[in-house]
Amino acid sequence: MHDVSAPPLHMRRDGFDPVPELSAVREAEGITRVRTVFGIEAWLVTRFEDVRAVLSHPELYSNALVPPFRPPGAAPDGEEGAGNLLGSDPPEHTRLRRMLAPEFTARRMRGLEPRIRQIVDEHLDAMERGGPPADLVTDFALPVPSLVICELLGVPYTDRAGFQRTSQRMLDVSLPPQERAAAAAEARAYITGLVTAMRRDPGDDLLGMLIRQHGGELTTAELAGIGSLLLLAGHETTSNMLSLGTLALLRHPGQLAVVRDEPDRVEGAVEELLRWLSIVHAGTFKATTTEVRLGGRTIGPGELVICSIPAANRDPAFVPDPDRLDVGRNTLGHVAFGHGVHHCLGAHLARLEMRIAFPALLRRFPGLRLAGEPVYRSFTVVHGLETMPVAW
């Protein structure tokens, strides 16, 4: 059964905000039973403290034990899950992450800063040449992180239209499972072809480095899984933060001025935008490995658990007046990047891209304004905008 009459509760938004029904769950029982789009029952966890508890204990809440949401008659897993950090638990997850983590340190990411600034400036130049109106999504927010992740991984940027189409299909839960599975297989086949070629002649990019340093430990399927995940996550998340974050600042002009004019406050502003927008509606589904007590509830073994990231980050037990955007507040500790062993590997890169892109955009176009109604995405795993017409 695949129910697409409405997005599941944890994916429902009213513009930037989680829907009131989600906040009501957090304020009442905190944990409730929901039916997923796959027709399977799950526990939805909404409070900050409970979400952190789930994310902190992979031995109790497993990523690997979640039943695959596979259409009837589809082939068994085989190698299709290989290399997927989000679908594994320690010690397998630890083995894969250990090889990748050195490439994503804050120091290593700072080495990319000059190139990221150049990419941002080139796209702002192109917007300026083209003149208003422009679509902030297609002209700036999507291509900037896409080009960064392509260069980092060693993926030809000329192929971006294809993998952006497949990634959008993979993340759209309104599509039949068969179609999403086909998109995932298409994306994986594309990366497998790249990895196979790279094994013969590894470059200086991240996938080439993995082949040179760990080629004997990692199968081609594992390398393809790592590459697929990083390519998907590397452009879908930051691009939606850039468009939604700009829209949020346009709706809060005083806070926009802070980001544009006060460089020493940009870092804190990015953290607050991450908390307030929480564009990844939920962490990956998890399955309990044993009976657990959570938020006063007893949950049996083998049950599905979904963490609502927006509800947790808007929990008044975490920050006061949580529904107000305040770029001056300290919101370190939010769970927009997850928490624990599955904390987002690319968090340093995403933060760096936003710290560069937001002020650069707002300084280049001090008169930036909406030139039409932005269109929100619905039914998608990552919240964001389809289009955002702007002028200046």
Side-chain angles (χ1 to χ4, degrees), residues 34 57 123 166 178 212-213 266 359 383:
V34 293
H57 293 286
H123 284 83
T166 55
Q178 293 92 332
R212 285 197 310 276
Q213 295 185 10
V266 170
H383 189 43

Side-chain angles (χ1 to χ4, degrees), residues 132-171:
D135 182 350
L136 193 78
V137 174
T138 56
D139 293 340
F140 185 72
L142 182 57
V144 166
S146 296
L147 184 50
V148 172
I149 197 66
C150 282
E151 291 193 0
L152 183 65
L153 290 176
V155 172
Y157 187 58
T158 49
D159 293 346
R160 69 193 180 282
F163 68 70
Q164 282 167 6
R165 275 196 304 273
T166 55
S167 68
Q168 286 166 3
R169 282 158 49 214
M170 287 162 64
L171 297 176

